[in-house]
Amino acid sequence: MNRKLRMGMIGGGKDAFIGAIHRHAANLDSTIELVCGALSINPEVAQDSAQSLFLPADRTYLTYQEMLEKEAALPAEKRIDFVTIVTPNFAHFAPAMLALEKGFHVVIEKPIAFTLDEAKQLKQKVEETGLLLLLTHTYSGYPMVKQARQMVQAGEFGKVRKIWVEYPQGWLSQLTEREGNAQAAWRTDPKRSGKSGCMGDIGTHAAHLAEYISGLKITDLCAHLSIMVEGRALDDDGNVLLKFEDGATGVLMASQVAAGEENALKIRIYGEKGGIEWAQQEPNTLLVKWQDKPTQIYRAGTGYKDNLSSFALHNSRTPGGHPEGYLEAFGNLYRNFALTLAARIDGTTPSPEALDYPSVNEGIRGMAFIDNVVKSHQSTEKWTAFEV
């Protein structure tokens, strides 16, 4: 590639949390440039946001339909290579489908869609077009998550027996959706967020991380959801018992009413010989525990390269002791996607490390997780086969 990849953005205007995160992540490696956007359904916000990002007036659009139609009509050397969709959940499917139909690769904030059926339609369209799709399950981008995955799936701990993943937050401990908090308002609204609140928002991250590191798929689950804050329309707390392939069992806890917690995602996986422990708020550290010897501490960015996998090294950016966090993990997803897309444009083969990013299949698993959790919660039999 002798140029940067050209990105367009749908949603993510000023004051939108996740839009700014995507732009920071895409910019980390200087291989992507934002060239156009339909940044809000509010025309004034869309124009103001575009101006603040120095987008040209002729590539500032007021609807995603206008953007995709006009971008598709531009010469190949000018039009966007891919579109990033950072709208609320209910507005993921239509722009993603139209982007694929117009021949654009897609980056999409999770969840991939509003319903499982929409996710399946997107998979069919991806397969029909052969285009790339990145689903931003951020936590799979951390170097020590990559290291844990390689160790577990290489069988270093023997057969996996137990998976414990927890994701407590405290930011919805009050009814903030009625106090002017825009993020809380749409995330707790069934019409915009979907059939589940907490489990749809952060439980899906926990489930993805469990499957990603272990390499095992959930086969059955037993769920209980709660609305702890009076007046809220969707669950803000939940617990799920899990069964995985190959006989492993697990526990998943997600809560957004764990008062005092920030973003305390944590996972432990145990096999016959030992296991791993990783916490998102201390992301550069991976604890490796053994039955017959002392616990080891693996650190990202250190000099002992013989002990770290190529996947961990590929996704490390700074020397040891220089913390890499959420933005860098997000940036790793964009970098791997960009490397894969650049290889396709160049007619070369991307490395296995570059191909390691979440896509449409993970999106379908996430939507199926939501459906099955809600189904189990509402069932009198409780244990529910994980249907996709």
Side-chain angles (χ1 to χ4, degrees):
M1 289 284 291
N2 59 3
R3 64 172 178 86
K4 292 184 178 183
L5 293 171
R6 296 182 288 268
M7 177 178 85
M9 179 168 279
I10 297 172
K14 62 181 183 180
D15 300 327
F17 157 70
I18 203 65
I21 295 295
H22 276 261
R23 290 191 292 271
H24 288 315
N27 282 332
L28 272 182
D29 293 284
S30 301
T31 58
I32 296 169
E33 60 179 332
L34 179 67
V35 298
C36 71
L39 301 173
S40 175
I41 58 173
N42 181 312
E44 183 177 341
V45 173
Q47 291 173 337
D48 287 350
S49 300
Q51 288 176 3
S52 70
L53 295 169
F54 305 102
L55 295 180
D58 64 344
R59 299 185 81 175
T60 297
Y61 304 105
L62 301 186
T63 69
Y64 74 83
Q65 295 95 331
E66 178 194 16
M67 177 179 129
L68 295 173
E69 291 284 350
K70 289 186 175 179
E71 288 294 316
L74 290 174
E77 66 273 12
K78 187 175 182 181
R79 74 170 73 107
I80 56 173
D81 296 295
F82 71 93
V83 60
T84 289
I85 299 168
V86 288
T87 53
N89 300 358
F90 75 96
H92 285 185
F93 172 74
M97 183 63 79
L98 184 58
L100 293 168
E101 290 172 350
K102 294 295 182 181
F104 298 121
H105 305 279
V106 171
V107 175
I108 190 165
E109 179 58 31
K110 58 111 338 239
I112 194 170
F114 196 65
T115 67
L116 178 58
D117 180 65
E118 288 180 351
K120 290 179 178 179
Q121 290 183 57
L122 286 176
K123 179 180 180 179
Q124 182 177 356
K125 184 59 67 174
V126 166
E127 292 174 344
E128 286 176 3
T129 60
L131 295 166
L132 303 178
L133 186 146
L134 163 64
L135 180 69
T136 52
H137 269 297
T138 317
Y139 305 109
S140 61
Y142 283 97
M144 289 296 95
V145 169
K146 304 289 188 186
Q147 179 66 22
R149 171 181 165 89
Q150 294 302 308
M151 296 180 76
V152 171
Q153 296 192 28
E156 294 190 32
F157 307 110
K159 181 180 177 181
V160 173
R161 289 174 170 170
K162 193 74 177 180
I163 300 171
W164 186 287
V165 58
E166 59 188 74
Y167 199 159
Q169 296 177 334
W171 73 291
L172 291 179
S173 293
Q174 306 296 325
L175 202 63
T176 53
E177 59 264 43
R178 298 186 187 176
E179 299 172 357
N181 187 322
Q183 287 289 322
W186 78 257
R187 290 176 191 273
T188 58
D189 180 359
K191 294 180 180 179
R192 291 183 285 174
S193 186
K195 64 176 64 176
S196 174
C198 176
M199 277 296 163
D201 189 13
I202 63 174
T204 47
H205 275 304
H208 173 257
L209 196 63
E211 291 193 339
Y212 177 74
I213 295 178
S214 71
L216 304 174
K217 288 183 170 58
I218 299 167
T219 60
D220 302 88
L221 54 79
C222 175
H224 178 76
L225 303 178
S226 300
I227 298 176
M228 292 293 187
V229 176
E230 186 176 354
R232 182 160 287 152
L234 288 172
D235 58 280
D236 50 23
D237 179 84
N239 304 286
V240 189
L241 298 176
L242 304 168
K243 295 180 182 178
F244 292 84
E245 297 170 326
D246 207 25
T249 65
V251 179
L252 185 154
M253 181 278 280
S255 179
Q256 292 176 311
V257 294
E261 291 290 357
E262 294 178 347
N263 199 58
L265 174 61
K266 182 178 181 179
I267 187 166
R268 288 169 281 176
I269 298 180
Y270 302 100
E272 299 164 307
K273 304 173 186 177
I276 60 93
E277 179 178 323
W278 180 81
Q280 195 270 155
Q281 292 184 169
E282 186 61 48
N284 289 339
T285 298
L286 175 69
L287 297 181
V288 178
K289 303 179 180 183
W290 302 102
Q291 182 68 12
D292 58 353
K293 54 187 175 182
T295 296
Q296 296 174 319
I297 300 175
Y298 280 56
R299 295 280 290 169
T302 51
Y304 39 86
K305 295 184 178 181
D306 290 342
N307 298 97
L308 294 178
S309 71
S310 62
F311 289 81
L313 294 171
H314 172 79
N315 289 281
S316 296
R317 295 169 176 273
T318 59
H322 298 79
E324 297 183 56
Y326 181 74
L327 288 176
E328 288 84 0
F330 223 119
N332 288 339
L333 298 186
Y334 265 96
R335 180 174 63 179
N336 291 339
F337 173 80
L339 288 170
T340 301
L341 178 50
R344 174 172 295 195
I345 293 171
D346 285 344
T348 59
T349 301
S351 69
E353 291 82 2
L355 288 167
D356 182 20
Y357 60 83
S359 188
V360 67
N361 288 329
E362 288 80 6
I364 287 177
R365 296 287 300 175
M367 297 309 301
F369 175 78
I370 296 169
D371 277 6
N372 287 302
V373 163
V374 172
K375 179 181 178 181
S376 171
H377 171 70
Q378 295 173 344
S379 170
T380 56
E381 296 181 3
K382 302 309 292 180
W383 275 106
T384 302
F386 194 100
E387 297 178 351
V388 178

